[in-house]
Amino acid sequence: MVQSYVVYLGRNSHTSKPSTLGNDGMTESYYDLLGSCLKSKEKAKEAIFYSYTSHINGFAATLEDDEVDQLSNRPEVVSVFPNEVNQLHTTRSWEFLGLERNGQIPADSIWLKARFGEDVIIGNLDTGVWPESESFDDEGMGPIPTRWRGYCETNDGVKCNRKLIGARYFNKGYEAALGRPLDSSNNTARDTDGHGTHTLSTAGGRFVSGANFLGSAYGTAKGGSPNARVASYKVCWPTCYDADVLAAFDAAIQDGVDILSVSIGRAFAIPYFRHGLAIGSFQAVMNGILVVCSAGNSGQFLGFGTTSNVAPWVLTVAASTIDREFPSNVVLGNNKEFKGTSFNTNNLSARKYYPIVYSVDAKVANASAQLAQICYPESLDPTKVRGKIVYCLGGVIPDVEKSLVVAQAGGVGMILADQSAESSSVPQGFFVPTSIVSAIDGLSVLSYIYSTKSPVAYISGSTEIGKVVAPLMASFSSTGPNEITPEILKPDITAPGVHILAASTKAPRRLSRLIDQRPLSFNIISGTSMSCPHVSGIAGLLKTMHPDWSPAAIKSAIMTTARTSSNARQPIAKASAAEATPFNYGSGHMRPNRAMDPGLVYDLTTTDYLNFLCSIGYNATQMSIFIEEPYDCPPKNISLLNFNYPSITVPNLSGNVTLTRTLKNVGTPGLYTVRVEKPDGILVKVEPESLKFSKLNEEKTFKVMLKAKDNWFIGSYVFGGLTWSDGVHHVRSPIVVRKAVN
C-alpha cells in the first residue's frame, strides 16, 4: 500500500556551518539513499516530494510498506513516520490585558517601551494570508531588516510589502496524503479560509480604526506587535500535514524569523520523536526562535489530559474570556424579556414590535412539522413568514443556515431555542437579526405565541463591556495533565481566546449576497488558536526589548508574571462555575506589562533540553532526531524533577522529594525572599529562603523539599505556588503534586 512518509536522518550538519554539499547536493544524497532501496534513482526522484535541506535533515516521500521497512533498516535513517494530519486550533483584548486604557496608551504600557514591536519578525504557520487586509498595510514603515532572507510567492496575485515581508505555501504533503494531484488553485499562499489571516493579524497586525463584525465589537483592531514585520507560511488546507509543517519550519528558520506562532496541533499528544511539530520546533528553538503553540480545543468534549502540544521547548497557550459579551435580547408584547446572544447584524428598528410566528405554523404544505420546526431549507411558506419574526428550534443543521431560510422566506428576524437544557449558545453572525435563547426561555416564548391572539416581539442586540466576570477559562480549552511527560505542566499560560475580532478574508459568497454586497474585512473567532497569537505578539514585544534573551527566558518572563485569582474559573454548566486549576490555565493569565520586567527568569539551553530527553529514556537513535552529533547523556541519572522549568510538577510523590531550580537575574540587583502557598496535605520547605543578586545575569540555585502528610488522600492532584519577590518583582511558579499509589 502506497502512503506518504517523513524520513528523518537526524539533525543536519549544515545547521551550524555551511554544508559542503549545498542544498542541491543534499537533495542528490536523498535521491541516492532512496534510490538504493528502490533500485532506481529515477523512481526515487518521483517518490520524494520534499527535500529538507536547511535546518532539518531528511525528506518526505510516497512509499510502499516494504520500502518503508528497507529504509528503516538503513543505519543513516533515524526514523520513518507517516505524514499524519494536524488540525487548526481560532479589539478589546489588548485593553483587557492592560496595553491600553480607554483608547489611550498609558506611559507604562509595554507597547511604548517596546516601540510596538518594531522590526521583530513574526512568522505564522496556518492557512495563509489575505495580503490586501488593512492590517498588513506598510504605510510609514521603514526598509525591511537586512537579516531577512525570505521571499514572497506571488501566485494568485499575492503581493508582499514592508509589513508583510514573506508569504509561502507548502502543499506537497497534503497532495501526497490525497493520493492525487492538486489543481493549480492550491498553488497559492493566499488564505481562502480566514483562519491564518486572523491569527497573523492578532499577533502582528497594524492599527485599523473602525473595525467591526456586522456592527459588533466596533473599535480599532491591532495586533500584539503592531510594528512587527510578519511572514505567512501556509501549511493548512485546512488540515495540516506533518510533511508540510516540517517544510515550513525548515524555511522559517532559514528565512530569519524571531517568533513563530503555530495555532495547529493533533487531537491528542504523541511522543516527541514522532511529532513533526515537536521536531521542527526543537530546531527553531536551537536557532533562537521562540515557538508559541495553541493548547487545543478538546477540553469540553474529551476532558482532562487533552493538551496536544506538550514539548517543554514550546510555549503552550490555553484560552480564556474577556469582559465583552454580545447580548441579543427578545422582548415580547407582554413586556417579558429573555436574554439571548448573537452578533449585531442590522438590528430591527428600536422597540418596534413585529408579528411572531412558530415555524411549524408557517410551513409549506408538503413539508413535515419536524423539518419546519428546525427551519429546514424550503420548509417555510413566504406568505406566512414575510415581515415576521420566526421562532425555530436549534439542531440538525447549522444555526446560520436556519437564518438564511428565514431570510429567503421574507422573515425579518429569528428566535432560536436550544433543544437541550445543557447546551450553551455561542454568538454568531446571522442573515437576519437573531436571538439564541435557552430551552426553558424558548418554551416561555412558545407559550406566549399560543396564548396570545396577535403575538409580537422585537430583538435588540448590542456589545457590552465590563458587565461580565472575566477572565473565565473557556470550556473548550484543552487541559492537562501532560500525557507524555506528566512532570512538565501543560498548558503553560492563558490568554484571551473567546470572541476575538481580527482581520479576515472576504466574506463567504452567500453571506455577502445578503449583507449589502460588501466583503467582510474582519471576523470574530474563538479558540486556543486565537489565544496563541496574543502570546506570540507579546513575545515579539519582549524580543524587541530584550534581543539577547533566549526563547526560554522570554517564555519564563511570560509565565512567572502571570496572574491567578478567584476569577480564574472554568464554567462547567450554564448557570454554575467550578474552580479552575493549573491544569486549565498553567501559570495563569498573561500580564504583558509585568512580563517586560520580570526581575528573574528560569533559563534553559539546548543542553538542558537534550538532558531532558535523556531523563525520559531516549536512546541514541531517538536523540539523533534532535541533534546531529552523538550526544552522551550525563553518567548519573538525571532527575526529571530538576529540569529548570518555570513550574513545579511532581506527579508521583512517594514519601518526600527534593528538587532544584536555578534563577537568573535579568533586572537590577536585589534581595529576593520566598513565599510559599502550600498545596493541601503537602509540607513544603525552600532552602535558602532568600537569594541576593548583585549583578546582571547572575544565577542562584535553590532547593524545594516536598513531603506528603500521612493522612493525605492518595491519587488526587493538589495545587499551590512558590513566589520569589524583592518587593517590586514577583516571580511565581505553580506547584502541582499527586501522591503516588503504592
Side-chain angles (χ1 to χ4, degrees):
M1 180 172 147
V2 176
Q3 292 187 63
S4 55
Y5 293 86
V6 176
V7 181
Y8 199 76
L9 307 180
R11 186 167 179 260
N12 207 336
S13 61
H14 56 276
T15 56
S16 56
K17 57 183 181 295
S19 172
T20 55
L21 291 175
N23 289 354
D24 291 341
M26 293 298 298
T27 300
E28 285 296 319
S29 71
Y30 301 153
Y31 293 154
D32 291 337
L33 171 61
L34 184 57
S36 66
C37 295
L38 304 184
K39 310 303 183 192
S40 169
K41 189 172 180 178
E42 291 306 312
K43 288 183 179 179
K45 290 181 178 181
E46 293 176 3
I48 293 176
F49 57 87
Y50 273 129
S51 292
Y52 307 125
T53 58
S54 294
H55 293 266
I56 294 170
N57 188 16
F59 57 89
T62 52
L63 302 168
E64 296 275 5
D65 292 344
D66 62 327
E67 295 164 352
V68 172
D69 293 338
Q70 289 184 57
L71 268 175
S72 299
N73 291 326
R74 294 295 293 265
E76 59 266 64
V77 174
V78 171
S79 65
V80 181
F81 54 87
N83 172 34
E84 294 181 329
V85 68
N86 298 272
Q87 303 292 337
L88 292 165
H89 282 166
T90 146
T91 49
R92 166 69 181 166
S93 53
W94 301 116
E95 181 165 352
F96 184 72
L97 289 170
L99 276 68
E100 56 185 337
R101 198 173 300 133
N102 298 322
Q104 303 295 316
I105 301 172
D108 61 350
S109 171
I110 189 175
W111 267 344
L112 293 179
K113 306 286 187 181
R115 305 185 307 281
F116 299 93
E118 183 177 273
D119 285 349
V120 71
I121 301 173
I122 300 176
N124 191 44
L125 273 62
D126 213 292
T127 63
V129 63
W130 193 261
E132 293 83 6
S133 169
E134 293 173 86
S135 293
F136 309 123
D137 185 7
D138 69 349
E139 183 179 356
M141 298 194 75
I144 296 171
T146 55
R147 68 183 189 280
W148 176 246
R149 299 181 295 273
Y151 58 92
C152 194
E153 293 181 312
T154 57
N155 305 29
D156 197 20
V158 172
K159 293 182 180 179
C160 292
N161 55 27
R162 290 169 298 178
K163 174 67 176 178
L164 176 64
I165 61 176
R168 301 175 65 175
Y169 66 91
F170 304 86
N171 60 12
K172 294 177 182 177
Y174 173 51
E175 183 177 61
L178 288 180
R180 57 175 172 79
L182 297 173
D183 62 52
S184 59
S185 65
N186 289 282
N187 295 329
T188 176
R190 182 175 293 279
D191 180 13
T192 56
D193 177 90
H195 193 275
T197 302
H198 203 285
T199 53
L200 185 57
S201 63
T202 300
R206 303 200 75 185
F207 286 82
V208 181
S209 61
N212 69 92
F213 174 64
L214 304 174
S216 290
Y218 192 92
T220 299
K222 78 285 288 185
S225 288
N227 284 353
R229 315 298 176 133
V230 296
S232 171
Y233 299 86
K234 184 175 181 178
V235 297
C236 302
W237 307 85
T239 50
C240 329
Y241 283 88
D242 274 342
D244 297 327
V245 171
L246 270 171
F249 268 112
D250 200 33
I253 297 168
Q254 183 65 23
D255 289 349
V257 303
D258 298 308
I259 307 292
L260 272 174
S261 189
V262 186
S263 291
I264 62 179
R266 299 294 185 94
F268 50 87
I270 64 172
Y272 311 122
F273 69 90
R274 287 182 42 225
H275 192 189
L277 195 154
I279 295 168
S281 60
F282 189 95
Q283 305 306 320
V285 171
M286 286 184 67
N287 283 273
I289 301 166
L290 176 64
V291 181
V292 185
C293 295
S294 49
N297 301 327
S298 301
Q300 186 171 13
F301 303 105
L302 300 179
F304 290 105
T306 50
T307 296
S308 62
N309 293 316
V310 296
W313 46 86
V314 304
L315 178 52
T316 308
V317 189
S320 60
T321 64
I322 59 175
D323 60 344
R324 180 175 64 190
E325 62 177 349
F326 303 94
S328 183
N329 299 337
V330 176
V331 181
L332 304 179
N334 59 7
N335 289 323
K336 288 188 176 181
E337 183 172 354
F338 300 98
K339 184 176 181 179
T341 59
S342 175
F343 294 127
N344 181 8
T345 60
N346 65 307
N347 269 350
L348 296 175
S349 300
R351 296 194 172 274
K352 178 181 178 181
Y353 286 93
Y354 293 83
I356 181 173
V357 62
Y358 182 26
S359 56
V360 172
D361 298 327
K363 71 181 186 70
V364 294
N366 61 348
S368 68
Q370 289 79 9
L371 291 180
Q373 73 176 353
I374 61 171
C375 290
Y376 198 80
E378 300 180 354
S379 66
L380 301 182
D381 185 343
T383 63
K384 300 175 182 178
V385 169
R386 188 172 293 111
K388 299 177 181 178
I389 296 173
V390 181
Y391 174 89
C392 309
L393 294 183
V396 183
I397 63 173
D399 295 344
V400 174
E401 190 167 351
K402 299 175 192 289
S403 72
L404 176 61
V405 173
V406 171
Q408 290 174 330
V412 297
M414 179 177 72
I415 299 170
L416 189 63
D418 284 340
Q419 290 205 50
S420 169
E422 295 301 317
S423 62
S424 57
S425 61
V426 176
Q428 301 179 65
F430 293 96
F431 291 104
V432 293
T434 296
S435 179
I436 307 175
V437 299
S438 69
I440 294 174
D441 288 347
L443 291 175
S444 298
V445 173
L446 192 59
S447 175
Y448 166 75
I449 292 173
Y450 281 129
S451 64
T452 306
K453 182 177 181 181
S454 300
V456 293
Y458 73 84
I459 298 171
S460 176
S462 64
T463 299
E464 293 183 352
I465 293 173
K467 294 186 178 181
V468 291
V469 176
L472 303 177
M473 291 308 301
S475 59
F476 58 76
S477 188
S478 291
T479 67
N482 184 332
E483 292 293 295
I484 303 301
T485 316
E487 294 82 358
I488 302 298
L489 177 64
K490 290 286 179 172
D492 293 309
I493 195 71
T494 297
V498 179
H499 305 153
I500 304 302
L501 177 74
S504 186
T505 61
K506 63 182 179 182
R509 287 193 185 93
R510 73 177 187 179
L511 186 59
S512 292
R513 282 193 289 113
L514 294 182
I515 307 175
D516 300 331
Q517 301 294 324
R518 292 175 297 181
L520 296 177
S521 299
F522 291 84
N523 199 356
I524 292 178
I525 307 178
S526 297
T528 58
S529 56
M530 302 304 128
S531 55
C532 171
H534 277 84
V535 177
S536 302
I538 297 306
L541 297 176
L542 293 175
K543 185 67 175 178
T544 302
M545 292 184 66
H546 308 286
D548 296 331
W549 280 11
S550 69
I554 296 174
K555 177 177 175 177
S556 175
I558 292 172
M559 291 174 62
T560 60
T561 58
R563 174 169 69 96
T564 59
S565 71
S566 59
N567 284 346
R569 298 171 182 270
Q570 181 182 22
I572 57 173
K574 282 186 178 179
S576 65
E579 288 288 347
T581 74
F583 285 149
N584 302 107
Y585 54 73
S587 294
H589 300 273
M590 179 175 65
R591 291 194 290 183
N593 291 333
R594 295 288 185 94
M596 66 177 165
D597 180 22
L600 308 174
V601 296
Y602 295 92
D603 209 356
L604 289 162
T605 65
T606 298
T607 299
D608 293 317
Y609 290 125
L610 291 171
N611 287 341
F612 163 83
L613 297 175
C614 292
S615 70
I616 61 175
Y618 273 27
N619 59 34
T621 299
Q622 293 167 328
M623 293 291 290
S624 66
I625 292 175
F626 300 93
I627 188 75
E628 62 170 292
E629 301 292 342
Y631 185 75
D632 294 326
C633 290
K636 294 183 179 179
N637 290 334
I638 304 171
S639 171
L640 187 54
L641 298 179
N642 292 331
F643 183 64
N644 204 42
Y645 212 65
S647 56
I648 297 172
T649 305
V650 182
N652 290 292
L653 178 60
S654 180
N656 61 80
V657 68
T658 299
L659 53 89
T660 63
R661 289 291 187 274
T662 299
L663 284 163
K664 176 189 283 188
N665 180 33
V666 293
T668 56
L671 178 65
Y672 285 78
T673 57
V674 70
R675 184 181 74 254
V676 175
E677 308 150 48
K678 295 179 181 179
D680 290 343
I682 303 294
L683 298 174
V684 182
K685 184 178 181 181
V686 180
E687 291 184 349
E689 294 182 347
S690 63
L691 298 172
K692 185 176 182 180
F693 293 89
S694 303
K695 57 184 178 180
L696 189 67
N697 294 326
E698 183 179 8
E699 294 186 338
K700 298 281 186 178
T701 297
F702 63 93
K703 295 180 179 180
V704 181
M705 287 152 278
L706 303 170
K707 182 179 180 180
K709 296 179 181 178
D710 292 338
N711 61 350
W712 183 46
F713 182 71
I714 294 174
S716 63
Y717 277 100
V718 289
F719 310 94
L722 179 156
T723 303
W724 290 95
S725 178
D726 64 352
V728 176
H729 307 94
H730 303 277
V731 186
R732 186 183 186 277
S733 297
I735 298 176
V736 179
V737 185
R738 181 177 65 174
K739 187 174 181 179
V741 179
N742 295 327

